[in-house]
Amino acid sequence: MSTFDGLPVHILLVHAIVVLAPLTALLEIVCAVWRPARQRLVWLVLALAVSTMILTPITTDAGEWLERHIPSTEALRTHTELGDWMIYFAAGLLLVAVALTALHITESRSTGRRTITTVVVAIAAVVIGVGSTIGVYRIGESGAEAVWGDTEYTQQAPDE
């Protein structure tokens, strides 16, 4: 599917990624550093990470379709190059979610002592979470630049 109700699917799907990836990253960090959150939210985090991983290539493919149907600019090429990195961010988020899930299962079967594994997973969650959030921001900003360029939005005063 390339369009939905006349709109390119990419611009619809990208909003899901813009919400899901940073939300997943934030929840992963919280779950990694706070065990009670991990006990309650780990399955939600895993579902969000899987959703992000599934939607990312679909969104990228829709973006590639859109790229073939609009004039090419330097800003568009930059956005496309940055957008190709999103699959790595999504994979990183999924990897951390799987590690958190494994940690949760291990903790529920043992005494739950803090181990080196917990610290490593927490560090990975912070690094990958912050990195992917910055990545999503940069990709989105370059997309906005490709669409809007130097256009500045000004709201007109209502007629009185």
Side-chain angles (χ1 to χ4, degrees), residues 76-87:
L76 180 61
R77 284 187 291 279
T78 299
H79 175 63
T80 302
E81 289 171 10
L82 289 173
D84 289 340
W85 281 90
M86 188 59 214
I87 193 71

Side-chain angles (χ1 to χ4, degrees), residues 26-77:
L26 176 64
L27 289 176
E28 284 181 350
I29 293 168
V30 170
C31 287
V33 299
W34 190 28
R35 186 174 179 194
R38 184 167 53 249
Q39 292 170 332
R40 289 181 177 82
L41 299 175
V42 72
W43 298 108
L44 172 64
V45 170
L46 183 61
L48 291 172
V50 167
S51 299
T52 302
M53 189 67 203
I54 290 169
L55 280 176
T56 294
I58 295 169
T59 303
T60 304
D61 287 345
E64 289 170 356
W65 176 89
L66 181 59
E67 181 184 22
R68 290 189 301 272
H69 290 84
I70 59 175
S72 182
T73 64
E74 185 61 35
L76 180 61
R77 284 187 291 279

Side-chain angles (χ1 to χ4, degrees), residues 1-39:
M1 180 184 337
S2 53
T3 61
F4 178 78
D5 200 23
L7 290 173
V9 172
H10 179 72
I11 64 173
L12 300 172
L13 291 173
V14 78
H15 290 88
I17 299 294
V18 166
V19 171
L20 283 175
L23 176 62
T24 303
L26 176 64
L27 289 176
E28 284 181 350
I29 293 168
V30 170
C31 287
V33 299
W34 190 28
R35 186 174 179 194
R38 184 167 53 249
Q39 292 170 332

Side-chain angles (χ1 to χ4, degrees), residues 66-148:
L66 181 59
E67 181 184 22
R68 290 189 301 272
H69 290 84
I70 59 175
S72 182
T73 64
E74 185 61 35
L76 180 61
R77 284 187 291 279
T78 299
H79 175 63
T80 302
E81 289 171 10
L82 289 173
D84 289 340
W85 281 90
M86 188 59 214
I87 193 71
Y88 301 110
F89 297 130
L93 291 171
L94 182 58
L95 180 67
V96 169
V98 168
L100 285 168
T101 304
L103 184 62
H104 169 69
I105 291 169
T106 302
E107 286 174 341
S108 66
R109 293 181 181 166
S110 67
T111 60
R113 294 183 321 162
R114 190 164 198 86
T115 64
I116 189 72
T117 305
T118 307
V119 174
V120 169
V121 170
I123 291 169
V126 170
V127 170
I128 291 171
V130 170
S132 39
T133 300
I134 291 169
V136 167
Y137 171 80
R138 290 187 65 219
I139 294 165
E141 183 65 22
S142 69
E145 179 68 26
V147 171
W148 296 102

